[in-house]
Amino acid sequence: MAVDPLFLVGSLVCLVSVVLCIGAAVLKQGPNDLTILSAAAVELFLLVYGAASLLRLAGGQGIAGAAWEFWGYLLTALIIPVGAVWWSLMDRSRWSNIVLSAVGITVFVMLFRMEQIWDGATLL
Amino acid sequence: MNRSSNSNDPGAVSPPSGRNAGPGRLLVAVYAIFALAATARAAFQILTKFDHAPIAYLLSAFAAVVYIVATVGLARSGATAYRVSVAAVGVEMAGVLAVGIFGLIDPAALPDDTVWSGFGSGYGYVPLVLPIIGLWWLYRHRADARR
């Protein structure tokens, strides 16, 4: 089974964000433009992913699993970058970069589940 | 709030204290993610298929509440928040162990998975490891209980 290109793009965005955020934390930097915008990029991807999923549904593709569950995951995932960025604005210590790195990790896991629900198959 | 300032303890004067600063913030973040995940999962289970396994889903909802209370308790400063977080993380520890052991003894009684089933195996055993780290962290910062 071919892996969904959207899933690959999303995984890449998450990976880049995690590397940048953990790297900044290791270098003892506080949250900066690079790390905050990388979490924002994850949010942007999720919005694009949601729009693309709606277009696919309109184009006749279906969700193999429970549609409820797919959209539930997506809406929950959308909250995570917002919360982390808000946190990074409140707390300027380097620990906030670790919190920002949790965005990429968590959203990747959720994308993985969404991909499983969309295709009704187990990846790997 | 009237905090007794103790000259031996640099964190005593102004919040956030040592408990919810530095790595403690990371702990709060992980609890927040689990609170969100458990709440979303329990809401989905109860709204879509409650009749299928009501006890398991109510247990999921209970776990979600425990994670929310633990998140708030760990995030806030002060003696009351400290006690609340010890209670919530303690209940979490007991819950993971009890549900995990119960699942081994009588798998048929809990037919559907909860966050705590199989000692949290569905979540990479994070539900088992998290309260251990949480209780250790609270023990390390037990001076907070007096403030």
Side-chain angles (χ1 to χ4, degrees), chain A residues 8-48:
Chain A
L8 287 181
V9 172
S11 303
L12 195 64
V13 173
C14 289
L15 179 68
V16 170
S17 172
V18 171
V19 170
L20 285 174
C21 293
I22 292 182
V26 169
L27 295 175
K28 301 189 177 181
Q29 292 181 5
N32 54 33
D33 285 358
L34 208 55
T35 57
I36 291 174
L37 288 176
S38 78
V42 174
E43 178 80 3
L44 182 66
F45 167 78
L46 287 170
L47 291 170
V48 171

Side-chain angles (χ1 to χ4, degrees), chain A residues 64-119:
Chain A
W68 245 95
E69 201 174 10
F70 179 82
W71 294 112
Y73 265 104
L74 188 57
L75 290 177
T76 312
L78 281 168
I79 300 170
I80 292 171
V82 177
V85 168
W86 176 72
W87 185 314
S88 73
L89 298 176
M90 299 291 114
D91 171 25
R92 307 298 297 164
S93 76
R94 68 174 168 134
W95 294 98
S96 275
N97 276 326
I98 300 278
V99 173
L100 282 170
S101 76
V103 169
I105 297 168
T106 311
V107 170
F108 170 72
V109 172
M110 296 178 82
L111 276 176
F112 196 91
R113 276 293 294 145
M114 282 187 266
E115 172 63 14
Q116 286 182 336
I117 297 164
W118 186 276
D119 285 321

Side-chain angles (χ1 to χ4, degrees), chain B residues 10-91:
Chain B
V13 181
S14 63
S17 58
R19 181 162 57 86
N20 50 12
R25 294 190 169 261
L26 194 57
L27 194 63
V28 176
V30 176
Y31 267 96
I33 291 168
F34 260 78
L36 186 66
T39 305
R41 181 175 187 179
F44 171 72
Q45 287 174 330
I46 288 172
L47 289 172
T48 59
K49 45 182 183 177
F50 184 67
D51 296 338
H52 179 63
I55 295 172
Y57 298 158
L58 286 176
L59 206 56
S60 283
F62 174 70
V65 172
V66 170
Y67 283 118
I68 292 169
V69 173
T71 306
V72 175
L74 288 166
R76 292 177 64 95
S77 302
T80 309
Y82 183 88
R83 280 194 286 273
V84 168
S85 51
V86 169
V89 178
V91 168

